[in-house]
Amino acid sequence: MGVRFPIQPRMVPPEKVARRLGVTPAVFAEKRQALESAGFPKAEPVLGNYCLEAVDNWIDLKAGLTRADDPASAQAAMLRAVREKAWAK
């Protein structure tokens, strides 16, 4: 048997997103629409999982750790929009 390396998934289910936000899955489900209205990333429609990096970036933006006009934030927003459009098809 070969050497095994741990793999950290980038796409995670809603339960793990809830834990990342420090709330229960029930609270996350209840607040999900309000979060999305505030720019929270949406789940990928086929699997229903969330991109953990996008979630972390949203948390950083809300906490003031990054600025909305920061070039990296603008690029991330553009990539999010492209992904959401592609996923919507």
Side-chain angles (χ1 to χ4, degrees):
M1 184 193 280
V3 176
R4 294 191 180 257
F5 296 95
I7 296 175
Q8 299 297 325
R10 283 192 48 186
M11 300 295 287
V12 297
E15 298 79 24
K16 294 204 183 228
V17 172
R19 191 175 331 158
R20 190 70 155 196
L21 295 172
V23 299
T24 65
V27 168
F28 177 64
E30 176 186 323
K31 304 287 184 179
R32 186 183 55 79
Q33 256 186 333
L35 286 165
E36 288 176 359
S37 293
F40 191 80
K42 293 182 180 181
E44 190 279 323
V46 174
L47 298 174
N49 289 343
Y50 291 82
C51 174
L52 197 52
E53 186 175 344
V55 170
D56 286 344
N57 288 339
W58 181 84
I59 293 169
D60 288 348
L61 183 62
K62 288 296 184 179
L65 299 176
T66 57
R67 296 186 340 238
D69 63 347
D70 182 305
S73 296
Q75 182 180 18
M78 180 203 55
L79 290 173
R80 247 189 331 273
V82 168
R83 283 187 199 121
E84 286 177 6
K85 185 174 183 176
W87 289 345
K89 291 181 180 182

